[in-house]
Amino acid sequence: MKKQTRANNFKPAATTGKPAANTGKQDLSIFALPQQTGKKKSKAATRGKVAVIYTRVSTKEQAETNQSLETQLKHCRAYAERHGYEVVETFGGTYESAKSDERKEFKVMLDFVKKSRHNIGHIIVYSHDRFSRSGSSAIHIIDQLSQLGISVVAVTQPMDTMTSSGKLQQGIHLLFSQFDNDQRREKCVTGMEAKIRKGYLMGKAPIGYDQYKVNGEQVIKPNKTTGKLIRLAFQLKAEQGLSNTDIIKRLKAQGLSLYNQTLTKIFRNPFYCGLITHGLLEEGEVIEGRHEPLISRDLFLRVNGLQAQNAHGYTQVKEDEHLPLRHHIKCGSCNKPLTGYEMKKKGIHYYKCNTKGCCLNRNAGKMHELYQGLLKEYQIDPILLPQVQEMMGQVFKRLSQDHEQEEKRLKLQLTELKKKLDTLERRYAYGEIDREIFSKFSAELKAEMREIEVNLEKLSGPLSNHKMLLENGLKMMLNLSSSWGKADASKRRRLQALVFPEGVQYDREKEAYRTQRVNSFFGLASEISQKMGQKERGKSSGETDFSLLVARRGIEL
Ligand SMILES: [Zn+2]
């Protein structure tokens, strides 16, 4: 009974007549628009209120407990019901670390939407970052969809995507969710790198060591028995030249069983002589650890001298100086990261693909030149700097407003849920409901609250120092290409990773780079700069004109 009255409250328009049904709301926005977008509009209007729902979760944990997916689905369904959408299909159910799965499901959904005979007009998602986590490609997809008259509706960020300003706003949302992700990951990664550089081990200590915490601080100490045996293994190898099999036998007799593979790994791990290596450090870079070494460095080197044929050395630093793009460039044919080498006689460096039969082999100097050309495409024209800065400032302001709104909304939700939980507890205390019902609903409420808390946490942070970020970022973009050219190898690598976090591909037929993911800040700023440049030169045209979109929103240029 109660449910029914509630449902009715959501449809006040039903009593007043037709306007809210069908396309009434969209028609109003058409009136608000200048005429040049009218063409698209009529096409869009032919699609009705047929929709699909797409859900996506961001962590494995969420995927496994299914909490978030269910919540998303629930909200999406409720939204659809409230706004009179007819949902013909739902998609989703994978988490984003399972990248290929996610992409598959996303693709299946897109294909369905494009080809379905249901004439689908809308894709309903929980929020824009659920649609796709790669902002700029998502914008591209949304653009394509809108050409077909299909719009993406975010339940928690409702905006009219049929208007240009709505589209811009949506675009910014998408870019921002990616920007946000970048920031968070960067923060996390730099924090970790800093710790490693201070000599802390990230992860599990190898066999021979005990690892525990004292007052929250990590302590790593040699284990009295296994530590001694590991040291013995090194000594047997270096001083008596025993084979791994013989060493394993000796250790086993003293109570330590090891596989051959494990022993090989142990011999190659410089942790035992007090050093730390990590994937986040430069290749070949080692850091003085905070832990007590089990063996001397001399012993470590001697052991690795003995097994030089399979030792992965830690002495390649010099070579890297000339090959900063190693691993950053991927082969366009097989997608393997390129490696590099030096033709010793002539002192010339090359990049190459190691895949059998691929035969990609390029002069490093030429590849660097080409790379500088690529970076040039992301530079902004100094003349346009004040304008770009102004626009990006507006974008950031807009985003922080959105953040604030979202924060408010989430906090409100949280209070509501707390109230519900209170009521539930009270009713249970008074014996009005039994234990089973109480635990079922309180678990549900708590799960929902936890999720909101997680989302709230995500909102805090990255925007707080946006002014500095903006200024420094744009300054950097004025001479991206020459800064890279002048920098040393490790700076170059940092810059590369910042602009193209997933590296670039080299297309050998076109002799050009293909970019994969571009840092959204650089992407957006360079796009604005280009659009503005076109405008200056009088080439701007119609709908994709950024400045026009902004002017329409009342921002002076
Ligand atoms: Zn290849």
Side-chain angles (χ1 to χ4, degrees):
M1 285 292 260
K2 261 184 191 165
K3 259 186 192 161
Q4 256 181 345
T5 44
R6 219 206 266 154
N8 282 334
N9 285 342
F10 282 127
K11 291 190 265 179
T15 53
T16 56
K18 276 169 191 169
N22 288 332
T23 54
K25 204 177 164 219
Q26 285 170 15
D27 286 340
L28 283 179
S29 72
I30 295 172
F31 287 112
L33 270 176
Q35 283 173 348
Q36 67 254 44
T37 46
K39 203 169 50 186
K40 263 188 195 173
K41 197 54 28 74
S42 61
K43 207 172 175 187
T46 61
R47 300 249 176 182
K49 288 219 139 188
V50 182
V52 300
I53 292 175
Y54 176 66
T55 54
R56 188 175 73 93
V57 291
S58 51
T59 65
K60 192 176 177 187
E61 195 190 340
Q62 284 180 341
E64 276 169 359
T65 56
N66 237 0
Q67 278 169 8
S68 185
L69 279 178
E70 268 170 22
T71 323
Q72 283 179 37
L73 195 59
K74 200 172 82 188
H75 284 287
C76 289
R77 280 200 193 284
Y79 183 91
E81 200 176 310
R82 243 167 17 227
H83 292 86
Y85 290 103
E86 183 201 345
V87 177
V88 290
E89 192 68 74
T90 62
F91 296 88
T94 50
Y95 75 97
E96 72 184 24
S97 297
K99 260 191 198 170
S100 59
D101 274 8
E102 180 203 331
R103 286 201 187 129
K104 239 186 263 162
E105 182 73 0
F106 189 68
K107 210 181 157 289
V108 169
M109 184 269 294
L110 282 183
D111 283 350
F112 180 86
V113 166
K114 285 179 190 165
K115 290 174 194 157
S116 168
R117 60 192 161 75
H118 291 295
N119 209 17
I120 288 154
H122 310 270
I123 298 167
I124 300 175
V125 293
Y126 183 70
S127 64
H128 280 116
D129 65 341
R130 295 297 101 169
F131 180 67
S132 169
R133 58 176 185 158
S134 52
S136 36
S137 67
I139 291 173
H140 182 66
I141 294 169
I142 284 182
D143 250 11
Q144 283 185 326
L145 288 172
S146 92
Q147 307 273 339
L148 298 170
I150 300 162
S151 71
V152 176
V153 182
V155 170
T156 56
Q157 297 152 320
M159 56 191 77
D160 191 348
T161 54
M162 287 299 135
T163 68
S164 300
S165 69
K167 257 184 220 152
L168 176 69
Q169 210 183 332
Q170 186 179 46
I172 289 169
H173 264 301
L174 288 164
L175 270 177
F176 188 63
S177 65
Q178 187 197 346
F179 183 65
D180 235 13
N181 281 342
D182 290 353
Q183 289 268 307
R184 225 170 293 129
R185 194 178 41 213
E186 243 159 56
K187 230 200 244 170
C188 176
V189 166
T190 47
M192 205 152 134
E193 195 193 322
K195 276 213 113 174
I196 295 165
R197 290 197 180 278
K198 282 184 191 152
Y200 288 99
L201 176 76
M202 294 285 123
K204 228 177 130 216
I207 185 167
Y209 280 95
D210 290 326
Q211 185 175 27
Y212 47 87
K213 281 195 171 175
V214 178
N215 299 329
E217 186 93 348
Q218 172 180 271
V219 177
I220 298 173
K221 282 249 161 78
N223 179 288
K224 283 214 174 86
T225 41
T226 54
K228 220 186 263 170
L229 291 172
I230 298 291
R231 189 183 303 132
L232 176 68
F234 273 95
Q235 284 162 347
L236 292 172
K237 188 86 188 173
E239 280 146 27
Q240 298 181 28
L242 292 189
S243 72
N244 283 10
T245 322
D246 287 338
I247 294 172
I248 286 167
K249 271 186 204 152
R250 292 278 288 271
L251 295 180
K252 193 163 187 188
Q254 301 201 44
L256 178 65
S257 299
L258 291 177
Y259 290 110
N260 196 341
Q261 240 180 334
T262 320
L263 187 63
T264 313
K265 255 195 190 160
I266 289 172
F267 285 149
R268 280 194 220 153
N269 191 349
F271 189 85
Y272 291 109
C273 66
L275 299 171
I276 283 177
T277 57
H278 195 277
L280 281 177
L281 299 174
E282 313 269 313
E283 217 180 307
E285 192 179 13
V286 286
I287 298 289
E288 193 87 39
R290 291 178 168 251
H291 58 284
E292 186 186 316
L294 267 181
I295 55 162
S296 71
R297 286 183 198 176
D298 176 58
L299 182 57
F300 179 78
L301 288 179
R302 264 157 52 216
V303 165
N304 282 286
L306 275 178
Q307 41 160 237
Q309 68 273 22
N310 49 10
H312 279 283
Y314 293 95
T315 49
Q316 297 180 330
V317 183
K318 228 178 164 185
E319 185 194 357
D320 278 15
E321 193 62 36
H322 300 278
L323 297 161
L325 292 173
R326 229 160 68 135
H327 303 304
H328 181 70
I329 311 174
K330 291 176 192 108
C331 170
S333 321
C334 69
N335 206 27
K336 280 264 164 58
L338 300 190
T339 58
Y341 68 96
E342 181 186 2
M343 276 263 283
K344 285 256 162 67
K345 276 182 200 160
K346 297 177 186 165
I348 302 173
H349 292 80
Y350 292 88
Y351 291 105
K352 87 185 257 266
C353 173
N354 275 338
T355 302
K356 254 192 189 160
C358 218
C359 309
L360 177 67
N361 195 8
R362 284 285 182 280
N363 178 294
K366 292 227 169 91
M367 292 295 268
H368 293 171
E369 220 170 274
L370 200 58
Y371 194 77
Q372 282 194 271
L374 174 69
L375 287 176
K376 252 199 187 118
E377 288 173 30
Y378 290 88
Q379 279 184 188
I380 47 181
D381 185 344
I383 299 169
L384 296 173
L385 179 65
Q387 290 167 312
V388 176
Q389 186 157 348
E390 169 66 22
M391 283 245 354
M392 289 293 282
Q394 296 289 349
V395 168
F396 271 79
K397 203 167 138 203
R398 187 60 179 244
L399 290 171
S400 55
Q401 281 168 0
D402 285 354
H403 257 199
E404 264 167 45
Q405 269 177 25
E406 176 76 354
E407 208 174 344
K408 253 191 221 155
R409 196 182 61 79
L410 288 173
K411 278 185 179 157
L412 213 69
Q413 268 185 17
L414 204 58
T415 344
E416 290 285 301
L417 289 171
K418 270 184 194 145
K419 264 189 225 156
K420 277 187 192 166
L421 192 63
D422 270 355
T423 314
L424 194 69
E425 278 167 353
R426 203 169 311 125
R427 294 189 64 187
Y428 177 55
Y430 288 132
E432 291 173 24
I433 47 175
D434 66 28
R435 191 182 172 79
E436 202 178 319
I437 289 178
F438 169 73
S439 28
K440 178 175 178 272
F441 284 97
S442 75
E444 254 177 39
L445 287 171
K446 278 179 189 162
E448 233 175 297
M449 283 162 78
R450 221 175 301 132
E451 200 194 330
I452 291 174
E453 276 160 3
V454 168
N455 285 333
L456 267 171
E457 203 156 295
K458 276 191 209 159
L459 283 177
S460 65
L463 276 173
S464 51
N465 55 353
H466 74 265
K467 227 177 157 176
M468 273 261 290
L469 193 81
L470 184 64
E471 270 173 32
N472 293 341
L474 291 177
K475 221 180 272 165
M476 203 167 158
M477 289 180 73
L478 288 177
N479 37 27
L480 213 49
S481 176
S482 62
S483 322
W484 185 86
K486 282 182 221 149
D488 63 19
S490 92
K491 240 197 199 147
R492 280 183 176 184
R493 261 186 230 111
R494 244 162 254 170
L495 191 63
Q496 287 156 209
L498 190 66
V499 184
F500 308 112
E502 278 161 25
V504 299
Q505 278 189 335
Y506 179 74
D507 184 328
R508 77 172 93 179
E509 270 93 53
K510 292 184 185 147
E511 298 192 349
Y513 292 116
R514 276 200 298 260
T515 57
Q516 296 178 302
R517 201 156 66 79
V518 182
N519 178 310
S520 47
F521 179 87
F522 294 101
L524 184 60
S526 71
E527 199 176 330
I528 290 173
S529 173
Q530 275 164 27
K531 294 269 157 67
M532 283 181 166
Q534 282 166 12
K535 191 190 158 217
E536 297 265 301
R537 293 190 296 275
K539 268 201 234 155
S540 75
S541 65
E543 329 213 21
T544 49
D545 190 344
F546 226 89
S547 53
L548 220 144
L549 292 179
V550 176
R552 214 173 279 149
R553 286 169 56 218
I555 296 164
E556 289 289 309
L557 289 176

